[in-house]
Amino acid sequence: MILFEFSFERVGSKCTFIKGQKNLRALWQLHIGRNQIPGFIFSLSVMEQRRHETRRARKKWTTITMLLVAFWSSVSAQFRYSVLEEVPEGTVVGNIAKDLGLDKTTLKKRGIRIVYGSTEPPFIVRQDDGVLYVKGKIDREEICERRKVCTIDLKTVLQNPLEIHHVVVEILDVNDHSPVFPQKENILEVSESALPGAKFQLQAARDADSGLLSVQQYKLSNNAHFRLDVKDRGEDRKTPSLVLEKPLDRESVKSHVLLLTALDGGKPPRSGNMTIIVNVSDVNDNPPVFSQESYTVSLKENSPVGTTVIQVNATDLDEGPNGEVEYSFGNDVDARSRESFSLNPLTGVIVVAGAIDFEENSRYEIDVQASDKGTATLNIEKSVIINIVDINDNEPEIEVTSFSHALPEDSKPGTTVALISVKDADSGLNGKVTCYINSDLPF
């Protein structure tokens, strides 16, 4: 920011530059005299001194204090590159100098470097050619976990004069992981009285890759009694279930051994297997039934451990152990949900068990299973939706990049002292930031 002060004389609607720094006369003629002020903000303090009125016009003296602000948008550009994960060190990501239209001679005079927070960036830009290279091994799953789009934001800084350009590097996924089931073997107890159409949810496979390279389909080995049903929950989540098609006869076959295969979308696809053992038992013919079709609740983030979230309830028409209901989380509930919530097996009450952070997860979908205590256990599942409400629990973070260790007292106006970046992890109004500095400083 630079402060200028000069004076001009106004006669009627015509303005004439009369006093101030000489180099401002051309600026006046170029912008102010033409009423063209792109890229500038003006603070006006008007002092009027009435002169002798003549028949032609009334003269006024006006002093203008001009605050010159070079907007970032006038010297800033954004570039987007992409690179595959796991590529060797030294792989070229993009030619920043070429995209900026800078030759090597100009580049050396300007100076170029990368600003990337407080940690070492996974990329490097060379001073002699302005090319962005991979600095070390890039693991997309480590950087972005399973997000569909994985990007790294960089700031490219040119000095003398200062320019800041934003560079976005998208990390592209490669099929370097296979689907994995939580268990190699899953044992189910199914009553021979179970009717065709009965559904039994299975444990889903997980693949560290994302998008099309995650789990895309399941296959079930050929058999006479079961078919496979897959529920697509979005966000790379597909849950398999066994569906009974033909009644079971315990006297004929006491146990059925099936093989479930998960395949990802790679070419060729990677796969993982789980063995399913279905033990056929007798008689318990009424499954539990939940009291509601759906359960949805809102919960504030940072709720203390032990806070009651919701209570589910199911009943069973059978008598004795066959009618006694107990509750548990479904097989598809992930580890993060199990760390955040606990379920009372007798009452169906879900309580907070760990840290609840809106910025980490704004919504939980938890399958709750109600099972009776019969010899051949019957169960039913219902989804519980927990929406996390954001509170203003994150302070703005300030990142300062200094361009000089000491500022000479004869520094010219416009000398860049530091680059300041501010961010807030909260969302909505809680994440909006207003910045200011003391008004009595010479900056």
Side-chain angles (χ1 to χ4, degrees):
M1 298 182 181
I2 309 173
L3 285 175
F4 296 98
E5 184 170 332
F6 57 89
S7 298
F8 68 89
E9 182 183 55
R10 184 175 67 193
V11 179
S13 60
K14 181 178 180 181
C15 297
T16 306
F17 184 100
I18 62 170
K19 184 178 69 173
Q21 294 165 298
K22 293 181 179 180
N23 60 349
L24 293 180
R25 183 182 298 274
L27 181 65
W28 166 269
Q29 294 171 346
L30 179 63
H31 295 292
I32 313 305
R34 300 179 184 177
N35 293 324
Q36 296 176 352
I37 52 173
F40 300 100
I41 299 175
F42 295 94
S43 174
L44 303 180
S45 68
V46 178
M47 298 182 298
E48 295 187 357
Q49 180 179 357
R50 295 197 176 186
R51 297 284 180 137
H52 296 289
E53 293 187 3
T54 66
R55 295 180 180 179
R56 292 184 179 180
R58 175 184 299 173
K59 296 183 179 180
K60 295 183 180 180
W61 293 88
T62 307
T63 298
I64 294 183
T65 300
M66 182 173 72
L67 177 64
L68 173 60
V69 180
F71 289 107
W72 289 119
S73 59
S74 63
V75 295
S76 177
Q78 178 168 317
F79 303 100
R80 189 179 185 95
Y81 305 116
S82 62
V83 64
L84 292 171
E85 65 169 331
E86 310 288 350
V87 296
E89 182 176 347
T91 299
V92 174
V93 179
N95 193 329
I96 298 176
K98 180 180 178 181
D99 292 336
L100 288 174
L102 300 175
D103 56 31
K104 292 185 178 181
T105 303
T106 306
L107 186 65
K108 289 181 180 180
K109 294 180 180 179
R110 298 292 302 276
I112 187 171
R113 65 190 179 102
I114 288 178
V115 178
Y116 182 70
S118 59
T119 60
E120 284 292 324
F123 306 101
I124 187 172
V125 61
R126 294 181 183 171
Q127 297 288 327
D128 56 347
D129 60 7
V131 175
L132 188 66
Y133 297 92
V134 174
K135 187 177 181 181
K137 180 182 178 181
I138 300 176
D139 187 344
R140 186 185 190 278
E141 287 69 43
E142 181 179 340
I143 297 173
C144 297
E145 294 184 350
R146 302 182 74 251
R147 290 202 294 268
K148 290 183 179 180
V149 179
C150 178
T151 59
I152 295 177
D153 297 326
L154 307 171
K155 296 186 188 77
T156 300
V157 179
L158 293 170
Q159 297 176 247
N160 305 318
L162 174 68
E163 288 185 21
I164 299 173
H165 302 281
H166 297 273
V167 177
V168 178
V169 181
E170 181 177 358
I171 309 302
L172 303 178
D173 198 10
V174 297
N175 195 19
D176 55 345
H177 295 87
S178 298
V180 177
F181 286 95
Q183 297 177 344
K184 290 294 184 181
E185 185 178 272
N186 189 7
I187 300 176
L188 297 177
E189 296 287 338
V190 180
S191 171
E192 66 174 341
S193 62
L195 300 175
K199 184 180 291 188
F200 308 92
Q201 190 181 84
L202 304 173
Q203 292 176 313
R206 291 286 182 260
D207 193 320
D209 295 318
S210 63
L212 292 176
L213 300 181
S214 65
V215 177
Q216 295 299 308
Q217 61 176 317
Y218 291 92
K219 291 184 178 180
L220 184 66
S221 58
N222 292 330
N223 68 96
H225 293 84
F226 296 93
R227 67 175 174 86
L228 189 63
D229 179 76
V230 180
K231 180 179 180 181
D232 191 346
R233 297 176 179 268
E235 297 183 355
D236 301 339
R237 292 182 60 198
K238 293 178 173 60
T239 305
S241 296
L242 282 182
V243 179
L244 185 63
E245 287 198 307
K246 181 180 178 181
L248 301 172
D249 185 356
R250 187 177 185 275
E251 287 68 35
S252 299
V253 181
K254 294 182 179 181
S255 182
H256 298 263
V257 179
L258 310 172
L259 183 66
L260 180 64
T261 301
L263 299 99
D264 64 21
K267 295 182 180 180
R270 290 173 175 259
S271 63
N273 298 316
M274 178 176 67
T275 300
I276 303 171
I277 300 176
V278 181
N279 293 325
V280 183
S281 56
D282 202 18
V283 231
N284 188 17
D285 58 349
N286 284 292
V289 177
F290 280 98
S291 59
Q292 293 181 210
E293 284 297 320
S294 61
Y295 293 90
T296 302
V297 66
S298 296
L299 176 68
K300 289 185 178 180
E301 69 171 327
N302 298 334
S303 293
V305 173
T307 300
T308 298
V309 180
I310 196 172
Q311 182 177 18
V312 298
N313 181 59
T315 56
D316 193 318
L317 296 177
D318 293 321
E319 294 181 354
N322 292 337
E324 295 178 10
V325 178
E326 57 182 9
Y327 305 92
S328 63
F329 286 133
N331 290 327
D332 195 43
V333 177
D334 56 30
R336 178 180 295 180
S337 297
R338 293 177 184 270
E339 292 172 357
S340 301
F341 303 97
S342 63
L343 173 64
N344 188 308
L346 299 179
T347 63
V349 174
I350 298 177
V351 300
V352 175
I356 306 298
D357 190 349
F358 176 89
E359 286 70 38
E360 182 178 337
N361 198 348
S362 62
R363 182 179 182 272
Y364 293 85
E365 181 176 355
I366 301 176
D367 290 333
V368 176
Q369 180 174 275
S371 307
D372 59 31
K373 298 181 180 179
T375 304
T377 301
L378 294 179
N379 55 64
I380 188 172
E381 291 191 352
K382 189 70 67 175
S383 292
V384 177
I385 307 298
I386 303 175
N387 295 313
I388 306 304
V389 179
D390 185 31
I391 63 174
N392 192 17
D393 62 337
N394 289 282
E395 298 177 352
E397 297 178 5
I398 302 178
E399 170 191 321
V400 179
T401 302
S402 177
F403 289 94
S404 60
H405 297 290
L407 189 65
E409 65 177 353
D410 61 346
S411 296
K412 295 181 179 180
T415 299
T416 300
V417 179
L419 172 66
I420 301 173
S421 299
V422 183
K423 61 182 180 179
D424 192 316
D426 289 314
S427 64
L429 292 177
N430 294 334
K432 291 189 177 181
V433 178
T434 301
C435 305
Y436 62 91
I437 61 174
N438 294 340
S439 59
D440 57 348
L441 295 176
F443 302 100

